[in-house]
Amino acid sequence: MMQLKRTYFVAALALMLVAGVSLGAVARGRTDRMAPAAAPSAPVLPVQMPLNTGTFAGVAEAIKPAVINVNTVSRGGIGPGGGGRTPFEEFFGEDFFKRFFGDVPERIPQRSLGSGIIVDPSGIALTNAHVVEKATEIEVITLDGSKHKAKVIGADKKTDLAVLKLDDGKAQFKFARLGDSDRMQVGDWVIAVGSPFGLQATVTAGIISAKARNIGQGPFDDFLQTDAAINPGNSGGPLVNMQGEVIGINTAIVAGGSGIGFAIPSNMAKKIYTEINSKGRVTRGWLGVSIQPLTPELAKSFNAKDTKGVLISDVVGHSPASKAGLKPGDILLEFDGKKVDAPADLQRTVGLAQPGQDARMKVWRDQAEKTIDIKIGEAPDEKEAQQRPARTTPSTLGLEVRPITPDLARQLNLKSTDGVIVARVEEGSAAGEAGVQRGDVIREINRQKIRSMADYERLTKDIKDGDRLTVLLQRGQMSLYVAFTATAKG
């Protein structure tokens, strides 16, 4: 934890005043409010550093009433490791299945702690998606010790952000203002507030150590790095500037690292929060291209000026990219006025763009730069999630299945997206006893082909207790039949 001494601030202040550097900046009204005009305003402090007293007390006192302790109850696994795994799961690993299907069935109640920040007086709060994942009960505690029931309005695992509503929006709460994370600079002072190890309203101080950090958590990595101490239990709590504005949501630490923590930038959080609060879901932009880094060897073979940009290796038919005229072999240099130096830059910029928005791209083709206009589409997986339920509940078969997306088919080395994939097998079900496993692809039921979720639902909706079923499965590169009798339990 960073230790600050009063003498340090006095010396620093004297030096900067002699140099004629202005250290204060009034920033009232600089950011958009997330609350209605008639609502009380969150406190804003008119300083950039703790100058007058050499302390962060003013900022801490302003933000703490809006910080919450998040207590959740969820369903745990069947003992250590959550029970046995199928060979299919062992081969692909648990991370793969978590990505596409979530966790395995859970039975043991587990309690966990996290933090959050209220951003609207009606009781809208932000926290990490992983803090409330699988929670069956959520209780939050405010600074005055009062307890409130909370429910998840929406969560976005790709950015690890969740939006909560306290007391069904029937009460008024102290809240904090979301600041402009883009205006933060490396070296700016910040404080982190939360409940590490359950110790409520803990305040730590540090600086912004770096911006736009990619830590391998996903395509939208754009974290603020800070040396303000962040510990287990701080997840979901705010990272705050010296004006008392939230400029980040604390989310990750480096295991074994000292003074290395990461926060979701407030500008990203604001976009996700606004969409969830207004639409109930998050939409993401999509071009329909496969891309790869531009290595020196590839740059040379495509006669590019340098290795800046990303190489388009494939274009999906009838996609926005195809309609705009992008081709395999194009090198994308700039998108919507932003330089594209690596695949992550394009994924983040496009993913956070609004579907339907027009954008201009600069590409390198045939040893010359070309400008191409494109209308951004909506990511297909986002559309699928909206058009069908998030999951199919176990039916008489005792199976929970999901559609096979192109991405999933590619991961599993499937030749097509025909069929449905088993995401969960209910314990004790007839299908489970017959040998159906998580990760199996269902190709046929009673000699009727399954090409989509619609086929599966059509063929299983009228199955009754006692019906005899023959199911054709694909397991890896092997095909096999299983036969069983549908039961009421399954």
Short mmCIF file of all heavy atoms in Angstrom, two decimals, residues 390-427:
data_model
loop_
_atom_site.label_atom_id
_atom_site.label_comp_id
_atom_site.label_asym_id
_atom_site.label_seq_id
_atom_site.Cartn_x
_atom_site.Cartn_y
_atom_site.Cartn_z
N ALA A 390 -31.91 -16.79 -23.06
CA ALA A 390 -30.50 -16.95 -22.76
C ALA A 390 -30.13 -18.43 -22.67
O ALA A 390 -29.03 -18.82 -22.95
CB ALA A 390 -30.15 -16.25 -21.46
N ARG A 391 -31.07 -19.28 -22.23
CA ARG A 391 -30.82 -20.71 -22.18
C ARG A 391 -32.14 -21.44 -22.29
O ARG A 391 -33.19 -20.91 -22.04
CB ARG A 391 -30.11 -21.08 -20.88
CG ARG A 391 -30.90 -20.73 -19.64
CD ARG A 391 -30.15 -21.16 -18.40
NE ARG A 391 -28.94 -20.40 -18.28
CZ ARG A 391 -27.89 -20.82 -17.56
NH1 ARG A 391 -27.93 -21.97 -16.94
NH2 ARG A 391 -26.82 -20.08 -17.48
N THR A 392 -32.04 -22.70 -22.71
CA THR A 392 -33.24 -23.52 -22.73
C THR A 392 -33.25 -24.33 -21.45
O THR A 392 -32.26 -24.98 -21.12
CB THR A 392 -33.24 -24.47 -23.94
OG1 THR A 392 -32.11 -25.34 -23.84
CG2 THR A 392 -33.18 -23.69 -25.23
N THR A 393 -34.31 -24.28 -20.70
CA THR A 393 -34.37 -25.02 -19.45
C THR A 393 -34.47 -26.51 -19.75
O THR A 393 -35.00 -26.91 -20.78
CB THR A 393 -35.60 -24.60 -18.63
OG1 THR A 393 -36.76 -24.79 -19.44
CG2 THR A 393 -35.50 -23.15 -18.22
N PRO A 394 -33.92 -27.32 -18.86
CA PRO A 394 -33.97 -28.76 -19.10
C PRO A 394 -35.40 -29.22 -19.35
O PRO A 394 -36.32 -28.88 -18.62
CB PRO A 394 -33.41 -29.34 -17.81
CG PRO A 394 -32.52 -28.28 -17.28
CD PRO A 394 -33.20 -27.00 -17.64
N SER A 395 -35.59 -30.00 -20.42
CA SER A 395 -36.92 -30.48 -20.79
C SER A 395 -37.09 -31.89 -20.24
O SER A 395 -36.38 -32.32 -19.34
CB SER A 395 -37.04 -30.48 -22.31
OG SER A 395 -36.10 -31.40 -22.84
N THR A 396 -38.06 -32.62 -20.79
CA THR A 396 -38.27 -34.00 -20.38
C THR A 396 -37.01 -34.84 -20.64
O THR A 396 -36.79 -35.86 -20.02
CB THR A 396 -39.47 -34.60 -21.14
OG1 THR A 396 -40.57 -33.71 -21.01
CG2 THR A 396 -39.85 -35.96 -20.59
N LEU A 397 -36.16 -34.39 -21.55
CA LEU A 397 -34.92 -35.10 -21.84
C LEU A 397 -33.88 -34.88 -20.74
O LEU A 397 -32.90 -35.62 -20.66
CB LEU A 397 -34.33 -34.65 -23.18
CG LEU A 397 -34.91 -35.30 -24.45
CD1 LEU A 397 -36.35 -34.91 -24.66
CD2 LEU A 397 -34.07 -34.90 -25.64
N GLY A 398 -34.05 -33.82 -19.93
CA GLY A 398 -33.06 -33.52 -18.91
C GLY A 398 -31.82 -32.88 -19.49
O GLY A 398 -30.73 -32.98 -18.92
N LEU A 399 -31.96 -32.19 -20.61
CA LEU A 399 -30.83 -31.55 -21.27
C LEU A 399 -31.06 -30.06 -21.43
O LEU A 399 -32.19 -29.63 -21.68
CB LEU A 399 -30.61 -32.16 -22.67
CG LEU A 399 -30.34 -33.66 -22.75
CD1 LEU A 399 -30.26 -34.08 -24.22
CD2 LEU A 399 -29.06 -34.02 -22.02
N GLU A 400 -29.99 -29.30 -21.30
CA GLU A 400 -30.02 -27.88 -21.64
C GLU A 400 -29.08 -27.72 -22.83
O GLU A 400 -27.92 -28.13 -22.76
CB GLU A 400 -29.53 -27.04 -20.47
CG GLU A 400 -29.49 -25.55 -20.75
CD GLU A 400 -28.95 -24.78 -19.55
OE1 GLU A 400 -29.43 -25.00 -18.44
OE2 GLU A 400 -28.02 -23.98 -19.75
N VAL A 401 -29.59 -27.18 -23.93
CA VAL A 401 -28.81 -27.09 -25.15
C VAL A 401 -28.70 -25.65 -25.62
O VAL A 401 -29.50 -24.79 -25.23
CB VAL A 401 -29.42 -27.96 -26.27
CG1 VAL A 401 -29.49 -29.41 -25.84
CG2 VAL A 401 -30.80 -27.44 -26.67
N ARG A 402 -27.72 -25.41 -26.47
CA ARG A 402 -27.49 -24.08 -27.04
C ARG A 402 -27.27 -24.20 -28.54
O ARG A 402 -26.86 -25.26 -29.04
CB ARG A 402 -26.24 -23.44 -26.42
CG ARG A 402 -26.27 -23.33 -24.91
CD ARG A 402 -27.15 -22.19 -24.43
NE ARG A 402 -27.20 -22.14 -22.99
CZ ARG A 402 -26.29 -21.57 -22.21
NH1 ARG A 402 -25.23 -21.00 -22.74
NH2 ARG A 402 -26.44 -21.56 -20.90
N PRO A 403 -27.51 -23.11 -29.28
CA PRO A 403 -27.23 -23.13 -30.72
C PRO A 403 -25.72 -23.17 -30.97
O PRO A 403 -24.93 -22.77 -30.13
CB PRO A 403 -27.84 -21.82 -31.21
CG PRO A 403 -27.83 -20.93 -30.02
CD PRO A 403 -28.07 -21.81 -28.84
N ILE A 404 -25.33 -23.67 -32.12
CA ILE A 404 -23.92 -23.70 -32.49
C ILE A 404 -23.63 -22.48 -33.36
O ILE A 404 -24.06 -22.41 -34.51
CB ILE A 404 -23.58 -25.00 -33.26
CG1 ILE A 404 -23.89 -26.21 -32.38
CG2 ILE A 404 -22.11 -25.01 -33.68
CD1 ILE A 404 -23.71 -27.54 -33.09
N THR A 405 -22.95 -21.52 -32.80
CA THR A 405 -22.60 -20.30 -33.53
C THR A 405 -21.37 -20.57 -34.39
O THR A 405 -20.64 -21.55 -34.16
CB THR A 405 -22.29 -19.16 -32.55
OG1 THR A 405 -21.13 -19.52 -31.77
CG2 THR A 405 -23.46 -18.91 -31.61
N PRO A 406 -21.12 -19.75 -35.39
CA PRO A 406 -19.90 -19.94 -36.21
C PRO A 406 -18.63 -19.95 -35.37
O PRO A 406 -17.72 -20.73 -35.62
CB PRO A 406 -19.95 -18.73 -37.17
CG PRO A 406 -21.41 -18.42 -37.30
CD PRO A 406 -21.99 -18.69 -35.94
N ASP A 407 -18.58 -19.08 -34.36
CA ASP A 407 -17.40 -19.03 -33.49
C ASP A 407 -17.23 -20.34 -32.74
O ASP A 407 -16.13 -20.89 -32.63
CB ASP A 407 -17.55 -17.86 -32.52
CG ASP A 407 -16.27 -17.60 -31.74
OD1 ASP A 407 -15.20 -18.04 -32.19
OD2 ASP A 407 -16.34 -16.96 -30.68
N LEU A 408 -18.32 -20.86 -32.21
CA LEU A 408 -18.28 -22.12 -31.47
C LEU A 408 -17.89 -23.28 -32.40
O LEU A 408 -17.10 -24.15 -32.03
CB LEU A 408 -19.62 -22.38 -30.82
CG LEU A 408 -19.75 -23.62 -29.92
CD1 LEU A 408 -18.69 -23.62 -28.85
CD2 LEU A 408 -21.14 -23.67 -29.30
N ALA A 409 -18.46 -23.30 -33.59
CA ALA A 409 -18.12 -24.35 -34.56
C ALA A 409 -16.64 -24.33 -34.88
O ALA A 409 -15.99 -25.39 -34.99
CB ALA A 409 -18.95 -24.17 -35.83
N ARG A 410 -16.09 -23.13 -35.01
CA ARG A 410 -14.66 -23.00 -35.30
C ARG A 410 -13.82 -23.51 -34.13
O ARG A 410 -12.83 -24.21 -34.31
CB ARG A 410 -14.34 -21.54 -35.61
CG ARG A 410 -12.93 -21.30 -36.10
CD ARG A 410 -12.78 -19.93 -36.75
NE ARG A 410 -13.26 -18.87 -35.89
CZ ARG A 410 -14.36 -18.18 -36.12
NH1 ARG A 410 -15.11 -18.46 -37.17
NH2 ARG A 410 -14.72 -17.19 -35.31
N GLN A 411 -14.25 -23.17 -32.91
CA GLN A 411 -13.51 -23.62 -31.72
C GLN A 411 -13.53 -25.14 -31.60
O GLN A 411 -12.55 -25.75 -31.16
CB GLN A 411 -14.13 -23.01 -30.47
CG GLN A 411 -13.95 -21.50 -30.34
CD GLN A 411 -12.55 -21.12 -29.91
OE1 GLN A 411 -11.82 -21.93 -29.38
NE2 GLN A 411 -12.18 -19.87 -30.14
N LEU A 412 -14.64 -25.77 -31.98
CA LEU A 412 -14.79 -27.21 -31.84
C LEU A 412 -14.38 -27.98 -33.09
O LEU A 412 -14.51 -29.20 -33.13
CB LEU A 412 -16.25 -27.55 -31.50
CG LEU A 412 -16.79 -27.01 -30.18
CD1 LEU A 412 -18.26 -27.35 -30.03
CD2 LEU A 412 -16.01 -27.59 -29.01
N ASN A 413 -13.89 -27.25 -34.10
CA ASN A 413 -13.49 -27.86 -35.37
C ASN A 413 -14.65 -28.61 -36.03
O ASN A 413 -14.47 -29.69 -36.61
CB ASN A 413 -12.30 -28.81 -35.17
CG ASN A 413 -11.05 -28.07 -34.76
OD1 ASN A 413 -10.75 -27.02 -35.32
ND2 ASN A 413 -10.32 -28.62 -33.80
N LEU A 414 -15.84 -28.04 -35.94
CA LEU A 414 -17.01 -28.64 -36.59
C LEU A 414 -17.08 -28.15 -38.03
O LEU A 414 -16.75 -27.00 -38.33
CB LEU A 414 -18.29 -28.25 -35.84
CG LEU A 414 -18.37 -28.68 -34.36
CD1 LEU A 414 -19.65 -28.14 -33.73
CD2 LEU A 414 -18.32 -30.20 -34.25
N LYS A 415 -17.56 -29.02 -38.90
CA LYS A 415 -17.63 -28.66 -40.31
C LYS A 415 -18.77 -27.71 -40.61
O LYS A 415 -18.76 -27.02 -41.63
CB LYS A 415 -17.75 -29.93 -41.16
CG LYS A 415 -16.52 -30.82 -41.09
CD LYS A 415 -16.69 -32.07 -41.94
CE LYS A 415 -15.46 -32.96 -41.88
NZ LYS A 415 -15.61 -34.20 -42.68
N SER A 416 -19.80 -27.71 -39.76
CA SER A 416 -20.94 -26.82 -39.99
C SER A 416 -21.55 -26.44 -38.65
O SER A 416 -21.15 -26.94 -37.60
CB SER A 416 -21.99 -27.51 -40.87
OG SER A 416 -22.68 -28.50 -40.12
N THR A 417 -22.54 -25.57 -38.70
CA THR A 417 -23.25 -25.15 -37.49
C THR A 417 -24.52 -25.97 -37.28
O THR A 417 -25.35 -25.62 -36.44
CB THR A 417 -23.60 -23.65 -37.55
OG1 THR A 417 -24.41 -23.42 -38.70
CG2 THR A 417 -22.34 -22.80 -37.63
N ASP A 418 -24.69 -27.07 -38.05
CA ASP A 418 -25.87 -27.91 -37.89
C ASP A 418 -25.85 -28.60 -36.53
O ASP A 418 -24.82 -29.06 -36.06
CB ASP A 418 -25.91 -28.98 -38.99
CG ASP A 418 -26.30 -28.42 -40.34
OD1 ASP A 418 -26.64 -27.20 -40.41
OD2 ASP A 418 -26.26 -29.18 -41.33
N GLY A 419 -27.03 -28.71 -35.92
CA GLY A 419 -27.14 -29.38 -34.64
C GLY A 419 -27.26 -28.39 -33.50
O GLY A 419 -27.30 -27.17 -33.70
N VAL A 420 -27.33 -28.92 -32.28
CA VAL A 420 -27.31 -28.11 -31.06
C VAL A 420 -26.30 -28.75 -30.12
O VAL A 420 -26.05 -29.96 -30.18
CB VAL A 420 -28.69 -28.03 -30.38
CG1 VAL A 420 -29.68 -27.29 -31.26
CG2 VAL A 420 -29.22 -29.41 -30.02
N ILE A 421 -25.71 -27.95 -29.26
CA ILE A 421 -24.68 -28.48 -28.36
C ILE A 421 -25.23 -28.57 -26.94
O ILE A 421 -26.00 -27.70 -26.50
CB ILE A 421 -23.40 -27.61 -28.40
CG1 ILE A 421 -22.25 -28.33 -27.69
CG2 ILE A 421 -23.63 -26.23 -27.81
CD1 ILE A 421 -20.89 -27.79 -28.06
N VAL A 422 -24.87 -29.63 -26.26
CA VAL A 422 -25.35 -29.86 -24.90
C VAL A 422 -24.53 -29.00 -23.94
O VAL A 422 -23.31 -29.17 -23.82
CB VAL A 422 -25.23 -31.35 -24.52
CG1 VAL A 422 -25.67 -31.57 -23.08
CG2 VAL A 422 -26.06 -32.21 -25.47
N ALA A 423 -25.21 -28.07 -23.26
CA ALA A 423 -24.55 -27.19 -22.31
C ALA A 423 -24.62 -27.75 -20.89
O ALA A 423 -23.77 -27.45 -20.06
CB ALA A 423 -25.19 -25.80 -22.34
N ARG A 424 -25.66 -28.54 -20.61
CA ARG A 424 -25.80 -29.11 -19.27
C ARG A 424 -26.65 -30.37 -19.34
O ARG A 424 -27.61 -30.45 -20.10
CB ARG A 424 -26.46 -28.09 -18.33
CG ARG A 424 -26.62 -28.59 -16.89
CD ARG A 424 -26.87 -27.42 -15.94
NE ARG A 424 -28.21 -26.89 -16.01
CZ ARG A 424 -29.23 -27.34 -15.26
NH1 ARG A 424 -29.05 -28.33 -14.41
NH2 ARG A 424 -30.42 -26.78 -15.36
N VAL A 425 -26.28 -31.34 -18.53
CA VAL A 425 -27.05 -32.58 -18.39
C VAL A 425 -27.54 -32.66 -16.96
O VAL A 425 -26.75 -32.60 -16.01
CB VAL A 425 -26.20 -33.83 -18.72
CG1 VAL A 425 -27.04 -35.09 -18.59
CG2 VAL A 425 -25.60 -33.71 -20.11
N GLU A 426 -28.84 -32.75 -16.79
CA GLU A 426 -29.41 -32.77 -15.45
C GLU A 426 -29.04 -34.08 -14.75
O GLU A 426 -29.14 -35.16 -15.32
CB GLU A 426 -30.93 -32.62 -15.53
CG GLU A 426 -31.58 -32.39 -14.19
CD GLU A 426 -33.02 -31.91 -14.36
OE1 GLU A 426 -33.20 -30.76 -14.78
OE2 GLU A 426 -33.93 -32.69 -14.11
N GLU A 427 -28.57 -33.93 -13.50
CA GLU A 427 -28.15 -35.08 -12.72
C GLU A 427 -29.32 -36.07 -12.55
O GLU A 427 -30.44 -35.68 -12.19
CB GLU A 427 -27.64 -34.63 -11.36
CG GLU A 427 -27.03 -35.76 -10.54
CD GLU A 427 -26.49 -35.26 -9.21
OE1 GLU A 427 -26.82 -34.12 -8.83
OE2 GLU A 427 -25.75 -36.02 -8.57
#
